[in-house]
Amino acid sequence: MQVLKEDIRGRILAVAEQRFGQQGYSKTSMREIAGAVGVGVGNIYNYFRNKDELFCEVVRPVLHAMEAMLQEHHGIRGEDVMTMRSEKYLKACIDEYVSLIETHRSLLEILLFRAQGSSLEHFRESYTDRSTGLVKAWFAAMKKKYPNINTAVSDFIIHLHTVWMFTLFEELLMHAVPKQEMESILHDYILFEIQGWRAIIKV
């Protein structure tokens, strides 16, 4: 029975991902998903309390990936500022962005373009605000470690750093940039970004 339940849950998630991807959150109904799965609409509520919970579960893998990326750069696992001078850091950033898009392309599209009406509609804004706070805390920690670096950076510049990241992702997705070309674009973009930060921070 448990296997059957998990099978139904998996089918609900698969159909929901397809419909959310095609129509967006607001234009997709639980009744429509139930019909495509082949279960009664009431049965879906045995697995998910409401459409929003189902939507959040569908995009959970990309949410986890975005959170890991945030923590990797400026959170609990934040890199030392001096690593920005290394080729290894540049390559790691490129690989991270390519992996995010290649692994979670369809879910990222749903999250960034089709979440209107859901609790994740303002994900970009909330993520950007959190990122700004984490970067400021990271700067403070780096200033203690390296007193000569410049961390007098406005909140708005830090804010723009994440806004540009989302714009980059959205453009790569909208133009369906293939992996090889994406790597080249990301190399130039991230190099541009790192060199800019290095000039500001003076490392």
Side-chain angles (χ1 to χ4, degrees), residues 76-94:
I76 52 176
R77 300 188 298 278
E79 292 276 5
D80 188 283
V81 68
M82 294 303 171
T83 62
M84 291 176 73
R85 298 186 293 191
S86 70
E87 278 292 320
K88 183 179 177 184
Y89 179 81
L90 173 62
K91 186 177 186 311
C93 289
I94 295 166

Side-chain angles (χ1 to χ4, degrees), residues 7 13 37 41 56 61 67 74 76 81 88 94 99 115 124 126-127 131 133-134 149 168 189:
D7 179 55
L13 286 168
V37 173
V41 67
C56 291
E67 182 65 25
H74 301 300
I76 52 176
V81 68
K88 183 179 177 184
I94 295 166
S99 175
R124 280 194 234 30
S126 61
Y127 186 97
S131 178
L134 283 173
I149 67 172
L168 172 69
Y189 172 82

Side-chain angles (χ1 to χ4, degrees), residues 98 100 103 189 193 200:
V98 169
L100 178 74
T103 305
Y189 172 82
E193 189 179 52
I200 292 170

Side-chain angles (χ1 to χ4, degrees), residues 80-82 141-151 203:
D80 188 283
V81 68
M82 294 303 171
M142 291 299 105
K143 184 69 173 178
K144 285 184 180 179
K145 192 171 182 180
Y146 305 104
N148 292 330
I149 67 172
N150 172 50
T151 58
V203 297

Side-chain angles (χ1 to χ4, degrees), residues 8 25-26 29 33 36 44 56 60 79 96 107 112 119 136-137 146 170 185 190-191 197 199:
I8 292 173
Y25 175 85
S26 60
S29 70
I33 292 168
I44 286 193
C56 291
R60 187 177 301 281
E79 292 276 5
E96 186 173 49
L107 296 184
L112 297 182
S119 61
K136 287 174 66 177
Y146 305 104
E170 289 167 357
I185 291 168
I190 294 171
L191 181 62
W197 277 115

Side-chain angles (χ1 to χ4, degrees), residues 17-202:
E17 179 180 341
Q18 181 188 52
R19 296 303 165 97
F20 288 142
Q22 291 171 345
Q23 303 169 172
Y25 175 85
S26 60
K27 292 183 179 178
T28 300
S29 70
M30 293 290 263
R31 185 172 299 282
E32 177 186 353
I33 292 168
V37 173
V39 298
V41 67
N43 197 19
I44 286 193
Y45 293 102
N46 293 324
Y47 299 88
F48 303 98
R49 284 177 300 175
N50 51 49
K51 187 172 71 165
D52 191 75
E53 183 178 274
L54 173 56
F55 183 82
C56 291
E57 190 62 30
V58 165
V59 298
R60 187 177 301 281
V62 75
L63 293 176
H64 283 172
M66 292 290 292
E67 182 65 25
M69 189 168 71
L70 182 61
Q71 297 299 341
E72 192 71 38
H73 284 294
H74 301 300
I76 52 176
R77 300 188 298 278
E79 292 276 5
D80 188 283
V81 68
M82 294 303 171
T83 62
M84 291 176 73
R85 298 186 293 191
S86 70
E87 278 292 320
K88 183 179 177 184
Y89 179 81
L90 173 62
K91 186 177 186 311
C93 289
I94 295 166
D95 290 347
E96 186 173 49
Y97 281 16
V98 169
S99 175
L100 178 74
I101 294 172
E102 286 295 299
T103 305
H104 302 291
R105 182 181 291 268
S106 63
L107 296 184
L108 199 54
E109 287 179 348
I110 292 170
L111 179 63
L112 297 182
F113 302 133
R114 299 180 180 90
Q116 289 81 3
S118 78
S119 61
L120 293 171
E121 180 175 356
H122 301 293
F123 171 78
R124 280 194 234 30
E125 292 86 346
S126 61
Y127 186 97
T128 299
D129 289 344
R130 289 183 59 227
S131 178
T132 301
L134 283 173
V135 171
K136 287 174 66 177
W138 180 74
F139 274 161
M142 291 299 105
K143 184 69 173 178
K144 285 184 180 179
K145 192 171 182 180
Y146 305 104
N148 292 330
I149 67 172
N150 172 50
T151 58
V153 184
S154 74
D155 290 3
F156 194 71
I157 289 294
I158 298 172
H159 168 87
L160 284 176
H161 163 71
T162 306
V163 170
W164 290 333
M165 179 194 75
F166 278 114
T167 301
L168 172 69
F169 290 164
E170 289 167 357
E171 289 295 317
L172 289 171
L173 291 168
M174 283 192 292
H175 295 281
V177 178
K179 184 177 180 181
Q180 190 170 357
E181 186 182 348
M182 190 194 308
E183 288 176 350
S184 175
I185 291 168
L186 287 171
H187 175 276
D188 292 346
Y189 172 82
I190 294 171
L191 181 62
F192 172 82
E193 189 179 52
I194 289 172
Q195 294 296 342
W197 277 115
R198 286 184 60 191
I200 292 170
I201 301 169
K202 296 181 171 52

